[in-house]
């Protein structure tokens, strides 16, 4: 297996969702993304921001091997992606937990899919649940959890098989502000300590700047990369960083860029 070079390479990526039906009831095809070029280096934390419906989830699904691009190439660790891979952990935007399984066995599901559940995997999941504030809930079913707790379980599940590449699609959407901030700081620590490569989709500009080595800004649909911003901060991020003028400056720059591209399309 190729282990050198880039973690992820997207070249000339385009995707069109086909239309269906005919006449008045026809549903037109949608060009979701177009001409997306992006390279992510091993150990990077890259966030993708952009207007709703611009193709962010579509891009993530193509990286994960869940969707085949209409045009262009996707490579992970130097290999063309042809389907789901064991070394990719993913938390999809509409990630659902299996209702009949408890928290622990939901988290162990990807491990089971890939082989046998080892004591090491069980231990890893126990540690992840603890760090996510879910200790003591291992035997609960999803319906016995809050929405935010379910999201945290989905993140633990994405990390359960110790993937080299972590793909997160708006994983903190339904968390309250305080929990979200705490999860951000935890995720930053997990990322630094594990040396994993991560790609995060978020609507939170603060969150993107707080967590990332680079923030990729997409245009309106069909989404394409309009700018890449590199927050000039050390890898270890703290809550205090968010109160600095430098942090506000980077967030402001991203906000202006997003606003400018929306204005152009709207006007
Ligand atoms: N399975 C699908 N079938 C048809 N069209 C789809 C499908 N999935 C997404 N689309 C369309 O592709 C476009 C991009 O969708 P996508 O989910 O990638 O957007 P997004 O940037 O993730 O948006 P959001 O921020 O709201 O999650 C949208 O116009 C959407 O309607
Ligand atoms: Mg999405």
């Amino acid at each position: 297996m190729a282990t050198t070079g880039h973690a992820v390479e997207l070249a000339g990526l385009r995707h069109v969702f086909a239309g269906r039906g005919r006449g008045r009831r026809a549903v037109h095809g949608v060009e979701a993304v177009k001409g997306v070029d992006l390279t992510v280096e091993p150990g990077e934390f890259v966030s993708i921001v952009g207007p709703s419906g611009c193709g962010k989830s579509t891009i993530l699904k193509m990286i994960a091997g869940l969707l085949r691009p209409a045009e262009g190439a996707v490579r992970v660790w130097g290999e063309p992606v042809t389907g789901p891979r064991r070394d990719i952990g993913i938390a999809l935007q509409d990630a659902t937990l299996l209702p009949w399984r408890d928290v622990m066995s939901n988290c162990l599901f990807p491990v089971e899919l890939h082989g046998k559940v080892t004591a090491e995997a069980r231990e890893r999941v126990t540690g992840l649940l603890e760090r996510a504030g879910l200790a003591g809930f291992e035997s609960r079913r999803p319906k016995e959890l809050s929405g935010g707790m379910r999201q945290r379980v989905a993140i633990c599940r994405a990390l359960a098989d110790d993937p080299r590449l972590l793909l997160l699609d708006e994983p903190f959407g339904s968390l309250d502000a305080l929990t979200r901030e705490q999860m951000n700081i935890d995720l930053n620590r997990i990322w630094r300590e594990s040396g994993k490569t991560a790609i995060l989709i978020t609507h939170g500009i603060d969150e993107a700047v707080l967590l990332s080595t680079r923030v990729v800004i997409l245009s309106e649909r069909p989404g394409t990369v309009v700018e890449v911003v590199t927050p000039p901060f050390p890898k270890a991020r703290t809550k205090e960083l968010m109160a600095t003028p430098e942090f506000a400056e980077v967030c402001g720059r991203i906000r202006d860029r997003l606003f400018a591209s929306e204005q152009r399309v709207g006007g």
Side-chain angles (χ1 to χ4, degrees):
M1 195 169 81
T3 52
T4 53
H6 308 300
V8 177
E9 287 171 85
L10 309 178
L13 211 56
R14 176 170 180 262
H15 192 70
V16 180
F17 288 102
R20 63 186 148 78
R22 270 195 266 172
R24 279 199 304 140
R25 293 199 157 185
V27 174
H28 296 293
V30 174
E31 187 179 34
V33 296
K34 179 171 118 179
V36 173
D37 296 314
L38 180 68
T39 304
V40 177
E41 303 305 334
E44 263 203 294
F45 194 117
V46 171
S47 286
I48 300 178
V49 298
S52 180
C54 76
K56 302 181 294 295
S57 297
T58 303
I59 293 174
L60 212 69
K61 285 177 190 164
M62 290 192 278
I63 299 172
L66 300 172
L67 201 61
R68 197 180 286 273
E71 278 174 34
V74 183
R75 287 174 182 273
V76 169
W77 308 114
E79 296 170 350
V81 170
T82 52
R85 297 169 56 109
R86 183 178 182 161
D87 54 3
I88 297 181
I90 182 163
L92 290 171
Q93 188 170 12
D94 43 14
T96 42
L97 304 172
L98 300 171
W100 61 90
R101 286 183 165 229
D102 66 16
V103 166
M104 174 58 80
S105 63
N106 259 291
C107 287
L108 288 171
F109 188 59
V111 183
E112 265 175 59
L113 280 182
H114 298 136
K116 243 183 104 197
V117 175
T118 57
E120 189 197 344
R122 213 169 258 283
E123 220 168 276
R124 186 166 50 241
V125 170
T126 303
L128 287 166
L129 290 172
E130 225 165 78
R131 286 208 295 276
L134 291 163
F137 287 88
E138 294 83 354
S139 308
R140 304 270 172 147
R141 299 264 166 83
K143 69 166 194 254
E144 298 172 303
L145 307 177
S146 73
M149 290 165 95
R150 283 197 285 271
Q151 273 192 322
R152 282 181 272 155
V153 174
I155 296 167
C156 294
R157 181 177 59 183
L159 285 161
D161 209 16
D162 200 20
R164 289 173 79 194
L165 176 62
L166 185 61
L167 305 177
L168 301 170
D169 195 347
E170 297 193 43
F172 305 125
S174 70
L175 298 184
D176 65 279
L178 267 183
T179 314
R180 186 167 182 155
E181 225 173 78
Q182 191 52 52
M183 290 291 292
N184 283 169
I185 299 297
D186 282 351
L187 182 57
N188 175 254
R189 189 176 32 88
I190 291 172
W191 165 68
R192 278 186 284 118
E193 291 173 357
S194 64
K196 291 186 194 307
T197 308
I199 301 179
L200 169 80
I201 291 175
T202 177
H203 281 286
I205 295 175
D206 289 20
E207 182 169 277
V209 174
L210 180 64
L211 290 171
S212 313
T213 51
R214 284 190 299 153
V215 180
V216 175
I217 305 172
L218 295 186
S219 67
E220 289 270 359
R221 187 179 59 243
T224 194
V225 178
V226 289
E227 196 174 329
V228 180
V229 173
T230 306
F233 310 121
K235 270 183 147 187
R237 309 286 168 93
T238 59
K239 288 179 190 170
E240 289 70 38
L241 173 68
M242 297 177 87
T244 63
E246 292 78 21
F247 189 86
E249 193 273 326
V250 181
C251 291
R253 206 155 17 110
I254 295 171
R255 203 164 281 124
D256 288 349
R257 192 68 180 85
L258 277 172
F259 190 66
S261 60
E262 279 182 38
Q263 287 292 88
R264 235 194 343 272
V265 171

